[in-house]
Amino acid sequence: MQYLYYINTTSFFFSTFTMPIKNIYMRFCLLLILFPLCLKCQNTIGLPDVINYSKQAYKAGLQNWDIKQDSNGIIYIANNEGLLCFDGKYWTVYPLPNKTIVRSVEIGADNRIYAGGQDEFGYFSPGKNGMLEFTSLTGLMPAKDRSFGDVWDIVSYNKNVYFRTTEKVFKISNEKVSVFPAVSEWTYLGACGDKLYAHDLKNGLFYFENNAWRPIDGSGTYLNDNVTGILSLQKGVTIIATFKKGVYSLINNRIEKLSSPDIDKTVKDRIYAAIAVNQDWMALATSNGGVNIINASGALVQRFSKDEGLQNNNVLSIFLDKEQNLWLGLDNGVDFISYNSAIKKIIPDLQGGSGYAAIIYNNQLYAGTSGGLYAVTLQPSDDLSFSKGIFIPVANATGQTWGLAEINKQLLLGHHEGAFRVLNNTATLISGAGYGYWNFSPVSAVFPTNSVIAGNYKGLAFLNYKNEQFSFAESIPGFSESSRFVVLDNNNNIWVSHPYHGVFKVTQEANGKYKTKLYSDKDGLPSSLNNHIYEIKDEMLVATEKGIYTYNNTKDRFEVSAFYRNILGEQSIRYLKEDKEGNIWFVHEKNPGVIDLSGKEPVIIYLPELNNKLLSGFEFIYPVNSKNIFVSGEKGFFHINYEKYKKNLPKLQVHIRSVRISNKKDSLLFGGYFSNPNEKQLQAGNQVPGIKHKWGTIRIEFSAPLFGQQQNLEYSYRMKGIDNSWSEWSSKTDKEYTHLPAGVYTFNVKVRSNLGNESEVTSYTFRILPPWYQTIWAYIIYAVII
């Protein structure tokens, strides 16, 4: 996957012509290569996760024409092969009786799921076994109107339901049909604000009032192309999108064309659908260019296309769900954009290099990867992932980068080829000596420090600072351990940890010589392996395979940290980092988390979205502030808006989606609906089934429709009647029981998220009937015989 971003040409040219002459030609050539791409593909530096659902995943038709969501969170999609339903875990398809394409779907005020196909429209509601069943409404129509082709739009408005075909609009009210023929051709039907609009290709826009369609004067002059979306933005502005003639505003029944470079480019890609993302932004879905998010001023906010992870650029439908995330119905597949996620991806290296270090310096974000050092100018934004720009490679810094540090207001780079200073997007060598440097630490806390200790492949070196220049001074003799983890304590001791050799303390004695001591399992550590030293809250800590250990200066040995043991226990820890708010970020195995200290008691918050996505062995977390946390990944970096992450607490719901019984064959007992889809799903007394004893196994499937966050969810269940205790929390979404004895049973299930919120309990009750030889009639026969 490739990511191209908008280039800040002013900053680029400035840095180009203030660099050494020998580099100008190289930069100019790079600009010639990148500039056409930048104009075409401007975007934000951070992008949310995109989840692709292929035809093979949902097992239905290619094209997806319309999308809706019910109050229980279930997604409904108008698909080529029927009504497609998705609950976050399981897909189900319900074909129309005539097996035609479903073009449109709507949830009515009566909580039914309305669907329209070819010469067919009606609604889905639950049958006796809880499966959705289709009821056709075409029988309500006069025979002459029953051949109408495709139903392209369905709108629920003022408790009535409207169906649009190209020739007619049908209104269903109290089981009666009203027919409204088009003057030329109906191209659109939709509700916006408190009005119902329809568009006629030759005569413009109409609104519905007093059971009649009334024209908006002059609209036919502008809107002589297919209208593909009508939406409302701030201050009562109504936006009208057309397929290929542009975007218009409607204010007080006056229509004006909206134009900007970004809108005009979007129009060239053919706008097939449009929705409002919020009061200021609209999403324009196109046939050729994916989706563009445009603000009220006409400027591009973000772009999503195949380059950003979509399966293809032909978007037929777009929908904003309850959690403010985007669903795209594609010409081939369904895509989910986790648009409201607090976690974004940042890919500085077009080759997808691994991330190792990042820092903000002089209003630029520098990102060090396995392919080199890259920089992008930041724009004013609380959430820096929304800053636009393109990452430009820093000259002379190609290849493996390890560390970045700002010392004495200068940017230092630890690189495979040595220690560098970065200025004007060019890296200048400070110390090479044929080996790489990992890190830099100021020896003094007083600005400016005159000396820096630098960890490298062959030990520790001092860099002197004089006349605003760093230079190599000397290496510490007698110490040759690769020093990737270096900490200076308050007594000027230098601590170094090597994951396979142990923890070292390097001390300078009175005679100027250096003394080294090795700490291992003989000095309090649980092992000599996998120890990583850090300074957190002015305390020397070692992250080990058995938890966190602290250094006892009096005893000159390490011991278990009671504070961290109470919070993290003995789980293996690889990385620690304190943020400005005092929270402590950590990595357990390949799973990141944070000890949140903002409340009265410490709370652990894990981030399962990033599990197994970090760069194992080279973990890196750069907390700028509560809205901007940068984490290194196997491909680039992740950006976390931690403040938003903690606030994203959607109400959790868990639903029982199917109950199946089996012996030699399989049979569906319950299909997921006790009542209409948009209603709360509660089992009534007359819906408790009796199951014959011969059915040996019962399988229950359940799910929580929290899309894009399934990895954050855990379920717990119990079967009242045989076990009243809840199961351990797990990600498992089904449970089987075999050979239950006769009796009444109630299955309970609940779900919780990684942030600690928990759903209400959902239940399903059933009765296992006794075998024939245990029935009342059998006992009567036994009594007669006796």
Side-chain angles (χ1 to χ4, degrees):
M1 186 185 304
Q2 293 184 336
Y3 294 79
L4 297 171
Y5 304 105
Y6 174 77
I7 182 170
N8 187 324
T9 52
T10 302
S11 173
F12 184 83
F13 277 112
F14 178 79
S15 62
T16 297
F17 291 104
T18 55
M19 67 174 57
I21 295 296
K22 64 179 181 180
N23 291 322
I24 292 180
Y25 178 75
M26 179 185 69
R27 285 301 180 93
F28 183 73
C29 292
L30 179 64
L31 178 60
L32 291 179
I33 294 172
L34 292 178
F35 190 70
L37 297 175
C38 300
L39 290 178
K40 179 182 178 181
C41 303
Q42 51 180 317
N43 217 334
T44 53
I45 64 170
L47 291 169
D49 200 19
V50 177
I51 300 176
N52 303 136
Y53 298 106
S54 66
K55 175 181 182 294
Q56 290 72 30
Y58 57 73
K59 295 180 174 61
L62 286 177
Q63 296 171 309
N64 298 280
W65 300 95
D66 198 5
I67 306 173
K68 293 295 187 296
Q69 184 180 33
D70 70 16
S71 61
N72 295 307
I74 310 298
I75 290 290
Y76 300 90
I77 302 174
N79 179 267
N80 273 11
E81 295 184 5
L83 178 68
L84 191 58
C85 304
F86 185 48
D87 57 23
K89 181 69 177 180
Y90 303 103
W91 292 91
T92 309
V93 61
Y94 298 94
L96 293 180
N98 62 0
K99 308 296 182 183
T100 61
I101 296 173
V102 177
R103 299 283 192 188
S104 51
V105 61
E106 175 69 306
I107 300 176
D110 54 6
N111 296 321
R112 294 168 173 172
I113 304 295
Y114 287 88
Q118 294 173 330
D119 293 332
E120 182 65 275
F121 63 79
Y123 62 87
F124 285 93
S125 58
K128 290 182 179 180
N129 66 349
M131 289 285 288
L132 294 182
E133 296 179 352
F134 186 76
T135 300
S136 177
L137 295 174
T138 56
L140 301 176
M141 298 166 50
K144 63 181 180 65
D145 291 321
R146 293 182 186 177
S147 179
F148 46 76
D150 288 291
V151 177
W152 291 99
D153 294 318
I154 306 175
V155 179
S156 176
Y157 177 76
N158 285 347
K159 298 183 179 180
N160 300 317
V161 184
Y162 298 79
F163 302 82
R164 178 189 71 85
T165 69
T166 56
E167 296 181 355
K168 299 178 178 70
V169 169
F170 302 100
K171 172 188 173 184
I172 304 294
S173 178
N174 298 322
E175 302 296 319
K176 294 181 180 180
V177 178
S178 300
V179 182
F180 301 93
V183 179
S184 64
E185 178 184 334
W186 292 122
T187 72
Y188 178 83
L189 177 71
C192 181
D194 59 353
K195 290 186 177 181
L196 178 66
Y197 293 100
H199 177 254
D200 183 86
L201 186 59
K202 293 183 178 179
N203 295 277
L205 198 62
F206 292 74
Y207 65 95
F208 198 67
E209 186 178 74
N210 297 327
N211 206 40
W213 290 101
R214 304 183 183 278
I216 295 179
D217 294 337
S219 61
T221 303
Y222 296 92
L223 305 178
N224 54 1
D225 182 28
N226 287 24
V227 169
T228 54
I230 299 180
L231 52 103
S232 179
L233 293 185
Q234 60 183 349
K235 299 178 181 178
V237 178
T238 298
I239 301 296
I240 303 169
T242 66
F243 184 58
K244 57 184 178 181
K245 290 293 184 67
V247 178
Y248 300 83
S249 67
L250 173 64
I251 304 175
N252 297 326
N253 283 349
R254 290 184 58 188
I255 293 179
E256 295 182 3
K257 188 168 184 176
L258 300 180
S259 185
S260 73
D262 291 322
I263 289 179
D264 295 343
K265 181 189 177 303
T266 304
V267 171
K268 292 180 181 179
D269 289 329
R270 301 294 189 258
I271 301 171
Y272 205 92
I275 61 165
V277 175
N278 52 44
Q279 288 187 339
D280 300 307
W281 298 351
M282 53 184 161
L284 303 179
T286 73
S287 297
N288 300 316
V291 174
N292 287 347
I293 311 295
I294 305 288
N295 66 19
S297 300
L300 181 72
V301 177
Q302 276 181 321
R303 178 175 185 264
F304 296 95
S305 66
K306 196 169 182 180
D307 288 336
E308 287 75 36
L310 301 189
Q311 294 176 82
N312 57 77
N313 287 337
N314 192 345
V315 184
L316 301 177
S317 56
I318 184 167
F319 177 74
L320 188 73
D321 70 15
K322 295 194 301 182
E323 305 304 328
Q324 309 304 300
N325 296 311
L326 291 172
W327 291 84
L328 308 182
L330 306 178
D331 186 62
N332 186 352
V334 174
D335 281 346
F336 171 82
I337 302 175
S338 190
Y339 197 73
N340 196 35
S341 173
I343 299 178
K344 305 289 197 309
K345 294 180 292 185
I346 296 178
I347 311 295
D349 182 349
L350 295 183
Q351 303 304 316
S354 302
Y356 285 87
I359 194 170
I360 295 175
Y361 174 74
N362 284 349
N363 199 41
Q364 285 191 301
L365 172 62
Y366 287 86
T369 75
S370 54
L373 181 63
Y374 297 83
V376 62
T377 300
L378 297 175
Q379 297 169 335
S381 177
D382 289 341
D383 185 326
L384 293 176
S385 69
F386 281 95
S387 180
K388 285 185 181 179
I390 182 171
F391 282 93
I392 300 297
V394 173
N396 302 332
T398 303
Q400 181 66 62
T401 60
W402 295 122
L404 292 163
E406 182 182 353
I407 300 177
N408 295 348
K409 294 186 177 181
Q410 294 191 16
L411 179 59
L412 302 183
L413 164 66
H415 191 276
H416 176 67
E417 298 179 2
F420 293 80
R421 179 195 176 186
V422 178
L423 179 65
N424 296 329
N425 276 15
T426 300
T428 303
L429 186 65
I430 298 172
S431 174
Y435 51 81
Y437 276 70
W438 299 107
N439 51 62
F440 309 92
S441 302
V443 172
S444 170
V446 178
F447 176 85
T449 181
N450 293 322
S451 182
V452 170
I453 188 73
N456 55 53
Y457 290 2
K458 295 186 177 182
L460 296 166
F462 283 102
L463 304 179
N464 286 340
Y465 181 74
K466 187 176 181 180
N467 297 327
E468 299 185 352
Q469 296 291 328
F470 284 99
S471 61
F472 176 80
E474 62 174 342
S475 294
I476 293 180
F479 185 78
S480 59
E481 295 288 344
S482 180
S483 303
R484 189 155 64 91
F485 301 90
V486 178
V487 175
L488 276 70
D489 67 17
N490 294 329
N491 297 317
N492 292 323
N493 300 311
I494 305 171
W495 292 87
V496 177
S497 65
H498 191 293
Y500 307 117
H501 297 163
V503 176
F504 302 87
K505 181 171 72 171
V506 181
T507 306
Q508 187 175 27
E509 298 180 312
N511 60 7
K513 295 184 178 181
Y514 289 92
K515 175 183 177 182
T516 301
K517 179 178 180 179
L518 171 64
Y519 294 80
S520 64
D521 51 344
K522 297 178 182 179
D523 303 283
L525 294 173
S527 170
S528 297
L529 301 175
N530 294 320
N531 298 309
H532 303 80
I533 193 158
Y534 302 96
E535 185 179 23
I536 304 294
K537 298 185 182 298
D538 295 324
E539 184 179 15
M540 204 63 54
L541 301 176
V542 177
T544 79
E545 293 179 331
K546 296 291 184 180
I548 306 297
Y549 283 67
T550 185
Y551 177 66
N552 188 318
N553 188 55
T554 303
K555 298 179 181 180
D556 191 28
R557 62 184 288 113
F558 286 90
E559 56 192 29
V560 173
S561 169
F563 174 78
Y564 293 98
R565 177 60 57 88
N566 289 336
I567 300 172
L568 296 172
E570 294 186 3
Q571 62 179 321
S572 63
I573 303 296
R574 304 175 64 101
Y575 186 88
L576 293 170
K577 184 70 174 183
E578 183 181 1
D579 66 21
K580 292 182 178 179
E581 285 71 34
N583 305 311
I584 302 168
W585 294 78
F586 65 91
V587 178
H588 160 63
E589 301 296 342
K590 295 182 181 180
N591 307 327
V594 57
I595 304 173
D596 192 296
L597 300 173
S598 60
K600 294 182 179 179
E601 298 293 334
V603 175
I604 295 181
I605 297 176
Y606 289 99
L607 290 88
E609 297 95 333
L610 303 184
N611 286 359
N612 299 313
K613 295 180 180 179
L614 305 190
L615 190 60
S616 181
F618 293 89
E619 295 82 3
F620 171 80
I621 299 175
Y622 174 46
V624 178
N625 52 44
S626 62
K627 294 182 179 180
N628 297 283
I629 312 289
F630 295 88
V631 181
S632 64
E634 292 180 348
K635 289 186 178 182
F637 296 84
F638 294 96
H639 175 277
I640 305 170
N641 186 329
Y642 182 57
E643 182 178 307
K644 180 178 180 179
Y645 190 88
K646 290 196 297 181
K647 292 179 180 178
N648 276 356
L649 287 172
K651 182 181 179 181
L652 292 178
Q653 302 178 79
V654 61
H655 306 297
I656 294 175
R657 299 300 295 152
S658 72
V659 179
R660 296 183 180 274
I661 50 179
S662 62
N663 189 356
K664 294 181 179 180
K665 62 179 182 179
D666 183 72
S667 179
L668 180 69
L669 185 67
F670 174 65
Y673 295 91
F674 294 117
S675 55
N676 278 323
N678 209 37
E679 298 171 347
K680 191 170 185 178
Q681 300 299 312
L682 297 175
Q683 188 179 20
N686 61 359
Q687 293 176 314
V688 176
I691 305 172
K692 292 183 179 180
H693 193 269
K694 68 176 183 178
W695 295 99
T697 300
I698 182 167
R699 174 186 173 88
I700 304 173
E701 294 178 342
F702 42 88
S703 68
L706 189 60
F707 305 102
Q709 300 186 49
Q710 289 295 307
Q711 68 271 38
N712 297 7
L713 303 179
E714 292 182 318
Y715 301 85
S716 181
Y717 50 79
R718 67 181 178 183
M719 181 69 84
K720 295 181 70 175
I722 56 172
D723 188 2
N724 289 325
S725 60
W726 288 92
S727 70
E728 294 292 327
W729 293 98
S730 76
S731 59
K732 186 178 174 64
T733 60
D734 62 83
K735 177 63 179 174
E736 277 191 1
Y737 297 92
T738 304
H739 299 302
L740 293 174
V744 177
Y745 299 91
T746 298
F747 179 79
N748 296 146
V749 62
K750 57 185 177 180
V751 64
R752 73 175 182 184
S753 73
N754 61 315
L755 296 176
N757 55 325
E758 191 173 304
S759 72
E760 297 179 355
V761 174
T762 295
S763 302
Y764 182 79
T765 300
F766 59 93
R767 182 171 65 254
I768 300 292
L769 302 175
W772 67 266
Y773 52 82
Q774 290 182 352
T775 63
I776 185 64
W777 297 107
Y779 287 122
I780 292 174
I781 293 173
Y782 300 153
V784 170
I785 294 173
I786 292 172

